[in-house]
Amino acid sequence: NAGVTQTPKFRILKIGQSMTLQCTQDMNHNYMYWYRQDPGMGLKLIYYSVGAGITDKGEVPNGYNVSRSTTEDFPLRLELAAPSQTSVYFCASRASGGAVNEQFFGPGTRLTVL
Amino acid sequence: AQSVTQPDIHITVSEGASLELRCNYSYGATPYLFWYVQSPGQGLQLLLKYFSGDTLVQGIKGFEAEFKRSQSSFNLRKPSVHWSDAAEYFCAVVGGGSQGNLIFGKGTKLSVKP
């Protein structure tokens, strides 16, 4: 199994541009998450989804949007990129049945906004 | 609100020496606790987790952690460090609510001297 895959691995954006970070999992997990990792700050939750068609905001949602039309895919959209969105973005998924279940992480997307 | 504190930003140990990484959490009920490891440029890999039962938890790669409720701690240990253990280590607790996201500490970077 591929697990959680993310594309692209790296991206440089200009201020005001938009892009979509792709995330796909092949484990049939209902729960999916987007985190951002800033240096020395750990990971913070941007958005999450508990199943297809259901999404909600996390701790730092401003400047982002998500959708979940299928169980497998959970894309993250950046509108009007700003330098503050320079970060490493991780997608994760876990099975239903309790928060004790392991979250599986993708390899990350490193985004720079100039 | 739930929180995780990792007091040590950077630790250097000699290869073969023992290791202890500290983690303190803030959570009202019995927490679900995790340790993840992140190698440079990689995603996060689960080392071990605690949710109930025996307070000494064994993980992968020879790591273990001990849950101490009285000290609100979940310290990670390894008796003999290998050069390949050099990485960043994150302690996390499951947040409240139904979304089951992880709340991360800021991480501890481990360097290993030959």
Side-chain angles (χ1 to χ4, degrees):
Chain A
N1 284 345
V4 180
T5 58
Q6 292 182 240
T7 57
K9 291 189 186 304
F10 305 93
R11 184 71 185 270
I12 298 175
L13 285 181
K14 295 182 180 179
I15 294 172
Q17 288 185 320
S18 300
M19 77 165 292
T20 299
L21 282 66
Q22 301 292 344
C23 174
T24 299
Q25 53 92 9
D26 62 1
M27 297 172 282
N28 201 33
H29 287 169
N30 282 329
Y31 289 77
M32 295 188 74
Y33 307 87
W34 275 106
Y35 296 91
R36 60 177 286 172
Q37 183 183 31
D38 299 313
M41 296 301 294
L43 282 76
K44 293 189 181 297
L45 181 68
I46 306 171
Y47 269 94
Y48 69 96
S49 170
V50 301
I54 307 169
T55 63
D56 206 347
K57 297 177 181 178
E59 182 180 359
V60 290
N62 291 345
Y64 307 95
N65 276 301
V66 294
S67 60
R68 184 98 181 268
S69 58
T70 67
T71 299
E72 294 78 20
D73 300 306
F74 189 40
L76 178 72
R77 178 82 177 163
L78 278 71
E79 305 283 0
L80 299 175
S84 61
Q85 293 177 303
T86 294
S87 190
V88 182
Y89 292 84
F90 289 99
C91 179
S93 73
R94 71 166 175 86
S96 302
V100 69
N101 289 330
E102 176 183 354
Q103 286 193 25
F104 293 85
F105 285 80
T109 294
R110 185 175 295 273
L111 175 66
T112 302
V113 182
L114 301 175
Chain B
Q2 299 87 0
S3 66
V4 174
T5 302
Q6 294 181 248
D8 304 304
I9 296 173
H10 190 187
I11 285 180
T12 300
V13 300
S14 298
E15 191 168 15
S18 63
L19 171 70
E20 183 169 27
L21 302 181
R22 296 183 291 165
C23 172
N24 293 98
Y25 67 89
S26 172
Y27 191 76
T30 299
Y32 295 162
L33 293 158
F34 300 77
W35 275 100
Y36 280 85
V37 60
Q38 184 181 30
S39 298
Q42 303 297 313
L44 281 74
Q45 180 183 23
L46 180 68
L47 286 175
L48 47 79
K49 63 183 179 183
Y50 170 82
F51 57 98
S52 69
D54 194 345
T55 56
L56 186 62
V57 180
Q58 301 297 320
I60 62 171
K61 303 185 180 186
F63 286 92
E64 66 178 26
E66 186 171 13
F67 171 64
K68 293 185 177 180
R69 184 187 300 275
S70 61
Q71 299 178 17
S72 297
S73 69
F74 188 55
N75 294 349
L76 182 71
R77 301 194 294 246
K78 187 170 185 178
S80 178
V81 169
H82 188 262
W83 63 266
S84 60
D85 293 324
E88 190 151 22
Y89 292 80
F90 292 94
C91 182
V93 66
V94 172
S98 61
Q99 65 266 32
N101 62 290
L102 293 173
I103 297 170
F104 286 86
K106 294 183 178 181
T108 298
K109 183 176 181 180
L110 173 66
S111 298
V112 180
K113 293 189 298 186

